[in-house]
Amino acid sequence: MALAGCIGGDGDDDDGDELIDPSDYDYEREEPDDEEAARQSTIEYTQELERDEDFDPIHSNDAYSVQVSNLVFDGLYEWDDGLGLEPKVATDMPDVERDGTRYLYEINEGIEFHNGEELTASDVAHSFMAFQEEDSVNLAQYEMVDSAEVIDDYQVQVDLAYPYGPWELQTMAISVVPESERESESDREEFNTNPVGSGPFVFSDFEFNEYVTLERNEDYWDEPQPYLQEITFVDNVDAASRIGEIRAGDTDAIADVPNDDWSELEDDDGIRVHISESPSYMHLTFNCRDDAPTSDPDVRRGICHTFSMTDFVESRLPNVAQPLSAPIPPITNEQWDFPLDDWQEEYYPGYDPDQAEELLNGAVDDDWSPTIVAPGDHRGDLAERIVTRLNEIGYDGAQAETLDFGTLLDRTVYNEEPSPDDFQAYLLGWTGGPDPDAYLYNLYHESQTGINQAHFYEGSDSFHDDIAEARELADQEERYALYEGVMVEILEELPSLPAYSFHNTMASRDYVKDLHAHPMVQQNPRVVSEYGNVWTDN
């Protein structure tokens, strides 16, 4: 995963450090000398668990729950060590018919769910259709599915309502759930916290907001067989506490290494740090409703000129993030080759306090007091940075407000009638994948207001139509042309400002072997795959 060059600002309001290169932490496969001893391994993995754990892949919408469920379920396809898909339950890539709207899948015979029932085409068809039938929060990812029909026990036909561009790049990586375990609504509710899959691990024990324990599936159908006998995910929302635990040896591995602790852990002989560039997208998004001052693009531009995103990342997050200059991360752009460097030079608003004052003068009242809301992490630090710069040019009433994640979503995304006092801007993040649709549709299309975003940006006459049309085309060149116009408009009009891409990081004790950070945060810790099979040597 090469780190693409990205600037994001042209000022120097703070001294910065050189960004870390994730490729420096790409480890070779480590094989145990004693395979039987390796198969006795257990690890404890400490991370933040979401407040509303939901391990049913049809309804799970947070990365941490999906990290657990990905070890319990097999996908029709799965990610390789990057952002490419490989067959898993499917035997091969699909046959494509009817101008890219019909996909024929053949699946492996003899796969068993943890309840002993065979996985068949009926389960695959159910997995595709359940998003619509159960009105899943993830519906936008599968609303183009018109039908999924069983041809025989091991063949399923999926018909799309239109050629969906990201289908073969991303959408086929669907977790296969057992239809029989989800027959009624009460069954589905039970399934959320007691899931049954066909994956390498079996759900063993669960305590809400405390831990989840998975045990090895001794009858797993695929290779490699996992070495780990057991893995326990332990909830710890406090980053300092997680760092203390890994340094003391009280846990075997942790998620999300804070930037300020990176060098200390890297220099610790008993600890290894792991990093991968990711398709994450942090964004500063504005309230564009007509009654909000930030509905004026000059006000949005003025705010963005008060600070340098590059300097924030290089001074605050040099080990764990890279600044952005477009509404997609560089790792996504590796498959598209949009001119990100040119866009940065031509459109991205760099640090220019004089320009900021000129744009804001007269556009807002002298006593203007905007509120920027953010989670209480690095995004909260960025909100404080922006507010400090606004204070410096005379807007003393500007304030940053840090909120817990649920309250923040209620104030912004789920707020149907926000007032300017609720927020002028908010900071959130999104993890997509190899296709721009994952970002542009979910975060900018009008249909997703109140679901995934809250900027209320009306856009040009073609803005929303182009986003919708691009996802309904199979030809990448046609999609490229539409996306190019959409992203340039975002950079010019700034309904939101691309901020930075946060790398996926972990730390482990040195006896934890063959652990690798994956680009997709939902895949971490990926403890068994073609390129890594975690075990312990202690």
Side-chain angles (χ1 to χ4, degrees):
M1 313 291 292
L3 181 64
C6 220
I7 302 301
D10 57 7
D12 57 354
D13 61 345
D14 288 281
D15 293 332
D17 299 317
E18 184 178 355
L19 294 176
I20 200 168
D21 187 341
S23 64
D24 292 341
Y25 296 86
D26 184 19
Y27 306 120
E28 296 293 329
R29 177 90 181 251
E30 298 172 298
E31 296 284 1
D33 294 328
D34 186 341
E35 184 171 324
E36 185 55 38
R39 283 181 57 81
Q40 305 306 311
S41 300
T42 66
I43 66 169
E44 181 178 284
Y45 185 76
T46 303
Q47 62 175 39
E48 178 179 355
L49 294 175
E50 289 293 318
R51 302 300 90 192
D52 296 312
E53 285 97 337
D54 189 343
F55 304 108
D56 181 348
I58 304 302
H59 297 286
S60 185
N61 192 240
D62 71 89
Y64 296 117
S65 295
V66 177
Q67 285 175 340
V68 175
S69 65
N70 276 337
L71 296 174
V72 176
F73 296 90
D74 286 317
L76 186 63
Y77 293 83
E78 67 177 4
W79 300 103
D80 58 17
D81 59 352
L83 296 183
L85 292 184
E86 298 177 329
K88 183 66 173 180
V89 169
T91 61
D92 205 341
M93 302 307 288
D95 292 328
V96 185
E97 299 178 352
R98 215 176 60 174
D99 297 324
T101 61
R102 173 166 291 171
Y103 290 83
L104 300 169
Y105 299 96
E106 183 174 349
I107 67 172
N108 284 292
E109 299 182 25
I111 301 175
E112 286 190 356
F113 288 113
H114 303 152
N115 61 8
E117 296 182 2
E118 186 179 15
L119 187 159
T120 68
S122 180
D123 299 300
V124 176
H126 169 73
S127 301
F128 275 115
M129 296 307 300
F131 296 94
Q132 297 180 30
E133 294 170 351
E134 300 172 22
D135 195 24
S136 167
V137 68
N138 301 311
L139 176 59
Q141 301 174 49
Y142 295 94
E143 63 186 6
M144 72 298 300
V145 178
D146 192 46
S147 65
E149 299 181 7
V150 174
I151 305 302
D152 59 36
D153 282 350
Y154 305 107
Q155 292 186 81
V156 62
Q157 173 183 299
V158 178
D159 287 341
L160 308 185
Y162 46 83
Y164 181 56
W167 187 264
E168 291 184 69
L169 280 177
Q170 184 163 343
T171 314
M172 298 190 307
I174 187 172
S175 293
V176 181
V177 299
E179 183 177 18
S180 64
E181 292 283 339
R182 311 176 73 257
E183 291 177 332
S184 68
E185 187 171 343
S186 60
D187 291 337
R188 293 197 298 271
E189 291 176 358
E190 167 69 15
F191 196 77
N192 284 342
T193 54
N194 190 23
V196 174
S198 64
F201 289 86
V202 177
F203 216 75
S204 174
D205 195 10
F206 167 62
E207 188 67 37
F208 184 72
N209 286 350
E210 293 189 19
Y211 65 85
V212 181
T213 298
L214 307 180
E215 294 180 353
R216 181 172 60 222
N217 178 6
E218 300 292 351
D219 299 316
Y220 188 50
W221 65 278
D222 200 15
E223 296 292 338
Q225 296 284 309
Y227 289 140
L228 282 184
Q229 186 177 48
E230 182 180 280
I231 176 171
T232 299
F233 294 82
V234 178
D235 183 31
N236 187 339
V237 301
D238 184 71
S241 177
R242 292 199 301 271
I243 294 298
E245 288 185 21
I246 192 70
R247 295 203 69 197
D250 294 333
T251 192
D252 303 301
I254 63 170
D256 302 326
V257 178
N259 179 83
D260 294 345
D261 297 290
W262 183 273
S263 297
E264 185 177 6
L265 294 186
E266 190 177 35
D267 293 339
D268 191 315
D269 291 338
I271 295 174
R272 298 179 74 178
V273 290
H274 312 267
I275 187 170
S276 173
E277 186 180 4
S278 85
S280 73
Y281 174 68
M282 302 297 166
H283 52 95
L284 171 68
T285 292
F286 296 99
N287 186 344
C288 297
R289 291 179 67 94
D290 290 341
D291 56 353
T294 41
S295 65
D296 182 345
D298 279 342
V299 173
R300 303 194 292 265
R301 294 184 189 106
I303 294 173
C304 294
H305 279 302
T306 62
F307 71 103
S308 167
M309 189 68 74
T310 295
D311 291 326
F312 172 77
V313 174
E314 292 183 351
S315 63
R316 177 66 182 83
L317 304 170
N319 298 308
V320 295
Q322 59 179 317
L324 298 179
S325 59
I328 59 171
I331 192 173
T332 299
N333 196 50
E334 288 175 10
Q335 300 197 41
W336 291 83
D337 199 27
F338 290 105
L340 301 190
D341 291 340
D342 293 343
W343 288 355
Q344 186 275 323
E345 293 180 9
E346 186 170 358
Y347 302 114
Y348 202 89
Y351 175 61
D352 189 339
D354 293 335
Q355 179 73 2
E357 285 191 76
E358 182 178 336
L359 289 165
L360 293 173
N361 185 28
V364 295
D365 296 333
D366 292 341
D367 60 352
W368 182 50
S369 53
T371 298
I372 300 175
V373 295
D377 54 17
H378 45 91
R379 289 164 292 191
D381 295 339
L382 177 55
E384 292 284 358
R385 172 74 61 91
I386 298 168
V387 164
T388 298
R389 298 297 180 255
L390 283 168
N391 294 161
E392 289 174 354
I393 63 172
Y395 298 99
D396 298 335
Q399 60 179 337
E401 186 175 358
T402 56
L403 303 170
D404 67 79
F405 197 68
T407 304
L408 176 58
L409 291 178
D410 289 339
R411 174 86 68 87
T412 58
V413 174
Y414 304 147
N415 189 351
E416 295 182 2
E417 294 293 335
S419 73
D421 294 333
D422 289 332
F423 68 94
Q424 292 291 297
Y426 64 88
L427 284 152
L428 279 175
W430 188 263
T431 297
D435 198 284
D437 176 79
Y439 306 89
L440 300 181
Y441 186 79
N442 289 290
L443 296 178
Y444 296 100
H445 191 262
E446 58 191 354
S447 68
Q448 299 304 296
T449 301
I451 300 174
N452 294 315
Q453 42 90 350
H455 52 62
F456 308 98
Y457 176 62
E458 183 175 350
S460 63
D461 289 343
S462 65
F463 181 79
H464 297 285
D465 291 340
D466 287 349
I467 293 174
E469 183 181 353
R471 70 181 347 224
E472 297 184 14
L473 294 171
D475 185 274
Q476 185 151 323
E477 290 185 4
E478 295 180 62
R479 300 182 71 222
Y480 183 105
L482 291 169
Y483 284 143
E484 185 173 32
V486 167
M487 288 194 282
V488 167
E489 178 172 339
I490 292 171
L491 292 171
E492 288 182 325
E493 300 299 318
L494 294 174
S496 71
L497 177 74
Y500 49 91
S501 184
F502 208 66
H503 302 320
N504 291 330
T505 59
M506 300 182 291
S508 63
R509 300 299 303 182
D510 60 351
Y511 55 76
V512 178
K513 304 297 185 180
D514 214 21
L515 180 65
H516 306 270
H518 192 271
M520 300 291 284
V521 66
Q522 302 95 323
Q523 299 294 315
N524 291 318
R526 198 168 191 187
V527 297
V528 57
S529 67
E530 291 293 332
Y531 63 89
N533 197 348
V534 174
W535 51 285
T536 60
D537 184 19
N538 62 347

